[in-house]
Amino acid sequence: MKKAKLPQTTVARLPVYLRSLVYLAGRGVQIVSSEELAQLAGSNAAQLRKDLSYLGEFGTRGVGYDVDQLINEISKWLGLLRDRSVVIAGMGRLGGALVGYPGFSQKGFRIVAVFDHDPAKVGRGVDGLIVRDMSELGSIVSQNGGVDIGIIATPASAAQAVADQLVRSGIRGILNFAPITIEVPDEVFVRQVDLSVELQILSYHLQKAERVGVLV
Amino acid sequence: MKKAKLPQTTVARLPVYLRSLVYLAGRGVQIVSSEELAQLAGSNAAQLRKDLSYLGEFGTRGVGYDVDQLINEISKWLGLLRDRSVVIAGMGRLGGALVGYPGFSQKGFRIVAVFDHDPAKVGRGVDGLIVRDMSELGSIVSQNGGVDIGIIATPASAAQAVADQLVRSGIRGILNFAPITIEVPDEVFVRQVDLSVELQILSYHLQKAERVGVLV
DNA sequence: GCCTGTGAAGCTTTTCACAGCG
DNA sequence: CGCTGTGAAAAGCTTCACAGGC
């Protein structure tokens, strides 16, 4: 099977497989079985084979998968063969942490500008970048010949206005850390990361475990 | 339907509904329809009604849902009626951002201690807490009478060892920001947040859009 | 013999559409 | 009449189990 649309769940797992494969490549491993790779990625062998089967037939029966080849194929499918440019809006503590996050640059995500609304922060340097005023977003995106991804690290109150600005500047992918649902046109993709939501989901499972512990 | 197990997907959406309801309550809204609430939460009316139906029957036909009552019911189901204690391991930039994250304390997640392995960081103050050495984790968790949730904000290389320590200290819920799959016993719940994975998923969608734009 | 690739079965989740009730 | 609650249908996803090919 080739170049069809992948299931959402498969798309979400491919980066994890990729991470595991890069780890293996770094240790000099050249061939890996579905069982081994699935274990590393926290998945299972059947799932992994099914996922990879959507991309094509890259394995060798009786042997396994070639690590380098798989890295290349998954990268291709994820659109990672070229670098992606990123801007960050909101230079609070979270924004500040994201600028320096080593995982981004390692994986080809280049942060080209950072923004804040607060005059006290504008003009300061952060990891080799100068914090720009939010009003400059459009012009700086243009100067960079368009930007792929915008990260929103502002308070919830500012997030929708920032999202509107990002969309107007032509950005089509948004990673939103603000705890609010932002509205964007259909052609713009949003990933929402809400840290409190994660803790609340954990809280649900903890409570369930407690109930069992108490009642049973 | 009452006190059964909720679908995983429902559990993941409840915190988002809760966030929207708290927003409405803050604006003095007392009654909300499934249509309005779903819009705010980025869901749809049918989905929302189905999700809420797992918790019980709280709506009034022809009218809608009572905002305060729903807040209370969802909080109960998520185990949020009491505060949850949290420790953070890893006081790099991300860990530092998490300690001060206002969403945590607002929602009843109390950070009781923070840890790092680096002697240069141990002993320093961060948001009113003193950074402790990782080796003290067990004893400090005990001093607090047990801790609900551990957040891993270390590099990938340290994450598994930290996870082991958290589990040994009796912690049953882990939020892992390190880009690696950690192994824990079945009774421990892990939520994985990988920032690079999110960008890579966006990259996939951007590439798909590009292909359509170029080829069609 | 061994591990991949994949139809088919089974399960979960979403959507539909309307009965039920204030 | 309007909006909830919910069976039933549809869609999506995972697991099974084995054929296929090195």
Side-chain angles (χ1 to χ4, degrees), chain A residues 34-138:
Chain A
S34 59
E35 192 68 61
E36 292 162 332
L37 182 52
Q39 164 105 47
L40 263 179
S43 182
N44 69 70
Q47 178 97 263
L48 178 105
R49 291 202 301 274
K50 186 62 115 181
D51 284 339
L52 295 183
S53 78
Y54 293 121
L55 315 190
E57 301 192 18
F58 305 119
T60 308
R61 293 167 197 230
V63 180
Y65 299 93
D66 182 280
V67 171
D68 287 338
Q69 187 189 5
L70 256 197
I71 288 174
N72 188 62
E73 286 295 336
I74 294 178
S75 298
K76 191 155 69 188
W77 277 84
L78 291 177
L80 300 174
L81 293 186
R82 68 173 181 77
D83 278 12
R84 298 269 169 194
S85 53
V86 178
V87 294
I88 305 182
M91 273 299 115
R93 295 166 84 167
L94 182 58
L98 295 173
V99 194
Y101 188 66
F104 290 168
S105 48
Q106 272 169 27
K107 280 155 187 147
F109 295 97
R110 254 181 325 109
I111 297 171
V112 297
V114 301
F115 299 88
D116 204 289
H117 191 260
D118 179 357
K121 285 178 192 149
V122 174
R124 283 210 247 160
V126 181
D127 282 82
L129 293 166
I130 292 166
V131 180
R132 306 290 181 177
D133 188 81
M134 280 302 307
S135 63
E136 297 185 77
L137 195 142

Side-chain angles (χ1 to χ4, degrees), chain A residues 1-12:
Chain A
M1 201 177 289
K2 269 242 110 180
K3 287 289 168 190
K5 210 180 76 224
L6 308 179
Q8 290 303 309
T9 45
T10 298
V11 174

